[in-house]
Amino acid sequence: MINEIRDAIIQYLKSVMKENDVVLALRSSSTPGILTPCILRNKADLDQIEAGFFHLNNLAVYLSEFFQKENRLSTLQGYLYVLCKPCDTKAVTQMISDQQINPNKLKLVVYACEGMADMKKVKNEIGLDKDIKAIDLHLTELSLTLLDGSPLSIPVSKVISSKCLECNKEYHLTMSHVFVGDEKKWKSHPYSIATAENKVLLQDQKKGKDLFDQLKAELSACIRCNACRNVCHACFCSDRCIFDKPKMTVGFLDKEISPIDNILFHMIRFYHVAPNCTACGECERICPQGIPLSHLYEYFHRLMQESLDFSAGSSDSMRQAMLSYRLGEDLV
Amino acid sequence: MDRTNTVIAFVCQADKRKKLISSLKSKYPALRVIPVICIGKLNPVIIFRLLMKEARAVILVGCEPSDCHFREGVFFSERRFFLAKEVLKGFGLNDRLLNIIWSNPGKDALVLKQFETFMQYLKETQIEKGA
Amino acid sequence: MDETQNKSLSYLLNPAHYFGGITFLFLLIQVFTGVFLFMNFIPYVSEAYQSLIYITNLLPYGFFLRTLHRYSAFGMIIMCILHMIRMYTTGRYLRPRDVGWVTGVVLLFITLLVTLTGFLSSFDGFSQLVLNGMADLFKIGRRDFQSLLSINYGLHLLFPILIFVFLITHFSRIARPKVFPSSSLSFIFIGIMIALSGLFPIAPLPDSPNLPSGDFSPMRLFIGIGIAFLLLVILALLPYITKQKRIYAFVDEARCTGCMYCSDVCPKKAITEKNITKNGQSFQVATVINSKCQGCGICVGACRSSVIQLENHKDEILLEEVRKVWIEQTL
């Protein structure tokens, strides 16, 4: 099934790709289970494309770089095709709303996703002391070969990302895109078994000092590598970020790594991205220290929806929540 | 750095609040009053930094939303400070430490009364940083 | 114990914020009742007074609508003056709001003229004065009642059109203007007007109309109008003769991401997009229109990368002040 989707995507791209078009997709890397982004310019290279269960990356984050920092798209003669899972399209929509992307030269290739793996769960299943040599998906089983040669089989339901379990199978796109695969069948896919409505967040379970102590302990592991900031599509300031500006750093936040400074960093960053965050989970995935950032972004995502009736990535013409107001709302 | 007992007040300067500022300064010597043109100018990032490091509490005094001298500015800052308070709550901090008072420039007495209540609250509760 | 806020619970009901809107409301009442009166008043000498008697005594609600028309006129002028006083005391006439103020003064003048021409319908002493004045102004014989009637009538219909024309400019210079009062306030004021009209009807028509004659000298009228005109000219020039120090916001174009958050929150819509070229490629950045900028700094609070700042009042300065506070405290 997964291979079918991959073949269908490659076939589609081969049929529409023209002379000056460029494709932003993923191919396999030297690490099993991790796909690396690649830019393909020739039809012959299209066979390298991988998609499906290990498509963990949200490729939308590269688009703002294309437009702002390098602006290569202004010199691009053809189109830019981007391979997206349906949930990634929310990020693209939100960036269009924030005027970071011009959708004119962009074409999204969305496909029938069946969920993605959570490599941390895979690691937990096989044991943290073991390494993977090869990994592959066969229908509902993940078959691995460990470094010592022994094979292992894990059911997909154990390693699928929890975000996929709550997928509501919706995506709204007004820009030009194509859906590869059977959309109706995808909507009725059995993998989403939980709904996001009654989710219990950390902020519901703990309050006040307990909550602060736990978050402080979790965030004290932060080494301020800025990976979460770099992989986040909502952080589109990129090289103009206030945490890099010399005066600001001296003024607002010291480079010193202390629990309080770490908290301040994440507080400021989440305050900045809260209206744009689509809860894609990339920050948590990419963190080298394994900090459970979902404790934070899930809270803000729910807050935006419940209090301000705003869902990031749902519309490319409606501006984000902080830029509008309703008369008579008694928020503060 | 230990949390100090400083309380910082940002007062919107639009319509001649000099009398309020002077009465606040005389009544609460420990209070640091910083006038700004409009509290819509304040970036909550500054407030986060203050609350985590230098100050114990931050009070903002702004014009009522319908009467902002600069028209709709206060509506947007209302949402901004709402998000700021929610961020504090989401991290487990006491969001009452960020206190926002909406009052028109003529209503000095009410503002002073609110300051009084708030200072009382700060004194009574042994709030440590982060609770 | 949530006493940390002091929101005026009924700002939607507070008329002080809606003087302009109430004036507009009364104007609409005037137009509405005016249309009714227009349909029934005949501006020909032989029938003018008869049609007036017809409206007042015979038509159902005719008398009520005439009363309403008159009281709304007074209400409109009172609200207009209150609106002007409020704009002046809160300093909302200074640049960049000068166009709104000047058009407002012009609107006040036209409103006064409309009221003058409207007095004709009462056929009393004052209307005689007005007609005499018009006769002298337009060099028409005072016995030529028909011409006077036509001119008066024509002006009374022309001036509201002028009012609407100026209103377009008056409103367009304000970003997000409050044209109408809130619905509850509208109902309250309409209710007050209807009650007043019902309870205190205007004096009934005299038995015979007072036509213009040679007895009344219109000099008082001209002097009155002349003084009003001079006062209003001085008022209109106020924004240009008061000294003002203006502060603008400016954008650091090298660091702007072009997200336009500042533009969305600007109360005066003073920030727009601009394309700049950097390294041969074009990028979108924000740029401030100085003539519209009122120096409030709300854009500064919205910018994520602290790219837009106010002159003389940068965030760094604010932070310096705060750090001084901390240093003072710990020493």
Side-chain angles (χ1 to χ4, degrees), chain C residues 10-55:
Chain C
S10 55
Y11 74 81
L12 284 172
L13 285 178
N14 186 353
H17 301 137
Y18 289 104
F19 283 144
I22 298 172
T23 314
F24 188 62
L25 180 71
F26 284 158
L27 175 68
L28 291 179
I29 295 178
Q30 292 296 85
V31 168
F32 180 68
T33 49
V35 162
F36 174 80
L37 293 168
F38 166 75
M39 288 193 299
N40 291 295
F41 181 77
I42 303 172
Y44 290 116
V45 182
S46 41
E47 280 107 49
Y49 195 61
Q50 297 302 312
S51 63
L52 210 52
I53 291 181
Y54 171 67
I55 294 174

Side-chain angles (χ1 to χ4, degrees), chain C residues 151-199:
Chain C
I151 292 177
N152 196 2
Y153 196 63
L155 285 178
H156 198 68
L157 293 180
L158 169 69
F159 285 139
I161 298 177
L162 277 183
I163 286 183
F164 276 104
V165 166
F166 276 100
L167 270 180
I168 295 174
T169 322
H170 193 69
F171 290 151
S172 69
R173 297 300 285 191
I174 310 173
R176 309 185 188 103
K178 285 184 209 153
V179 171
F180 283 112
S182 57
S183 37
S184 33
L185 209 55
S186 309
F187 283 128
I188 290 177
F189 272 92
I190 295 177
I192 291 177
M193 276 296 136
I194 293 178
L196 274 177
S197 313
L199 292 175

Side-chain angles (χ1 to χ4, degrees), chain A residues 294-312:
Chain A
S294 57
H295 289 164
L296 291 169
Y297 68 70
E298 292 284 358
Y299 174 73
F300 291 113
H301 194 69
R302 187 178 73 177
L303 174 75
M304 286 287 138
Q305 280 176 323
E306 285 183 353
S307 306
L308 298 176
D309 221 2
F310 174 76
S311 185

Side-chain angles (χ1 to χ4, degrees), chain A residues 67-72 74 98-100 234-237 239-242 245 247-248 250-252 271-273 276 319-320 322-323 325 327-332, chain C residues 5 7 9 11-12 18 176 252 254-262 264-265 273 278 280-284 301-307 309 314-316 319 323:
Chain A
F67 273 93
Q68 282 290 333
K69 195 164 155 185
E70 309 195 338
N71 210 351
R72 291 217 174 116
S74 64
D98 287 329
Q99 304 195 8
Q100 296 302 304
C235 267
F236 49 72
C237 299
D239 54 347
R240 293 149 291 195
C241 178
I242 64 161
K245 191 175 173 190
K247 278 191 210 166
M248 281 301 174
V250 166
F252 281 128
Y271 165 75
H272 274 178
V273 303
N276 313 54
R319 299 281 276 167
Q320 46 115 318
M322 291 292 118
L323 303 178
Y325 62 88
L327 264 183
E329 65 181 352
D330 242 348
L331 287 177
V332 171
Chain C
Q5 296 132 32
K7 271 251 185 79
L9 288 169
Y11 74 81
L12 284 172
Y18 289 104
R176 309 185 188 103
D252 181 1
R255 298 177 51 92
C256 178
T257 58
C259 64
M260 292 296 143
Y261 288 174
C262 49
D264 279 15
V265 298
E273 296 115 8
K278 216 171 16 173
Q281 288 157 6
S282 85
F283 295 93
Q284 174 184 284
C303 181
R304 299 205 314 193
S305 8
S306 289
V307 158
Q309 296 287 345
K314 295 189 180 167
D315 271 345
E316 282 98 337
L319 207 58
R323 299 189 70 176

Side-chain angles (χ1 to χ4, degrees), chain A residues 171-186:
Chain A
Y171 76 101
H172 309 277
L173 265 193
T174 49
M175 58 167 286
S176 74
H177 68 283
V178 72
F179 192 95
V180 176
D182 190 338
E183 196 167 339
K184 275 210 187 84
K185 200 168 164 203
W186 168 71

Side-chain angles (χ1 to χ4, degrees), chain C residues 249-291:
Chain C
F250 68 96
V251 176
D252 181 1
E253 287 176 359
R255 298 177 51 92
C256 178
T257 58
C259 64
M260 292 296 143
Y261 288 174
C262 49
S263 171
D264 279 15
V265 298
C266 176
K268 307 293 290 181
K269 303 251 196 294
I271 304 181
T272 53
E273 296 115 8
K274 186 172 99 163
N275 282 320
I276 61 164
T277 18
K278 216 171 16 173
N279 304 332
Q281 288 157 6
S282 85
F283 295 93
Q284 174 184 284
V285 295
T287 183
V288 178
I289 304 171
N290 276 359
S291 59

